[in-house]
Amino acid sequence: MVEIKFCGLTQPGDAAVAAELGAGYAGVIFAGGPRLVSPERAREVFAPLAGSDVHRVGVFGTQPIEEIARLARAAAVDVVQLHGGATSESIATLRGSFDGAVWAVVRVSGPLSPSSLEGWAASVDAVVLDAAVAGRLGGTGVALDWPGVTAAVDTVRGGMTVVLAGGLRPGNVAEAVRIVGPDIVDVSSGVEGPTPGVKDHELMRAFARSARQTMDGE
């Protein structure tokens, strides 16, 4: 059963809709860019999630590990998502001061070799497959080569969580789920209007319906 992560949230109302739609994860950005929030604002954004089963995700870039841990604690996130070239050593350091889950982003520019994800299994709770775009860490709207990553995903299937990001939107997420079979689908710009970080609630609802088509056998 695929879960949904709505990422790049900047408005409490958008988090409330994510919870209404049964999303498993809601994310905020600490890595810079137009969706950047402070820890204080992150708490405000996450406030509607109180009492829900939605996990709070903080997305980080190239900050020092100590800074990531400080921000994660200040924002009270459940998951740290690392875009900035995480290593097993830096992840071990982070786990010494952060008790939540750790996800590592694998930036994809083409097909993945079948063994390319196996090395992450011992150090992280999930890998996030996102498009490699020069000068951008995420939220690019660029889709992956879905058939090109399936062999690598199949290699770790059942042994670690795989999050599929990169260019997902209501019109293509069902196909992405059918081809790749990820555990979680991650959307940001694909459910936005013209303003980055401000979600279109009808697009959020359409995305959730489309992502779950394969679960319902439609």
Side-chain angles (χ1 to χ4, degrees):
M1 180 180 294
V2 69
E3 293 193 275
I4 297 169
K5 172 178 171 241
F6 289 110
C7 200
L9 302 179
T10 63
Q11 308 293 319
D14 297 345
V17 173
E20 170 198 324
L21 293 172
Y25 301 86
V28 297
I29 306 299
F30 299 114
R35 302 173 184 86
L36 176 68
V37 297
S38 67
E40 294 75 20
R41 180 58 180 170
R43 283 181 173 271
E44 294 173 0
V45 171
F46 287 146
L49 304 181
S52 76
D53 294 327
V54 184
H55 300 283
R56 301 162 172 85
V57 182
V59 178
F60 297 87
T62 58
Q63 298 103 318
I65 290 297
E66 296 77 9
E67 178 73 359
I68 291 173
R70 183 189 68 79
L71 290 170
R73 292 193 301 267
V77 301
D78 305 304
V79 180
V80 162
Q81 180 174 318
L82 299 172
H83 275 259
T87 65
S88 57
E89 292 78 12
S90 64
I91 291 167
T93 299
L94 175 61
R95 289 194 186 279
S97 52
F98 174 70
D99 294 331
V102 179
W103 296 0
V105 175
V106 176
R107 302 180 69 193
V108 180
S109 58
L112 290 179
S113 67
S115 62
S116 59
L117 302 181
E118 293 176 336
W120 289 107
S123 58
V124 300
D125 300 285
V127 291
V128 182
L129 304 182
D130 201 358
V133 177
R136 301 279 296 277
L137 290 179
T140 64
V142 176
L144 278 62
D145 171 10
W146 301 324
V149 304
T150 54
V153 172
D154 287 343
T155 299
V156 298
R157 194 179 304 281
M160 70 181 305
T161 299
V162 175
V163 184
L164 181 65
L168 297 179
R169 55 188 186 275
N172 67 8
V173 66
E175 182 181 7
V177 171
R178 179 181 61 80
I179 293 173
V180 180
D183 300 291
I184 302 168
V185 286
D186 185 342
V187 64
S188 181
S189 62
V191 292
E192 291 178 351
T195 304
V198 178
K199 307 308 181 189
D200 181 312
H201 294 175
E202 288 309 308
L203 288 177
M204 292 176 72
R205 292 186 176 94
F207 185 89
R209 286 194 301 269
S210 296
R212 291 166 175 150
Q213 281 183 3
T214 51
M215 299 182 338
D216 297 334
E218 297 179 8

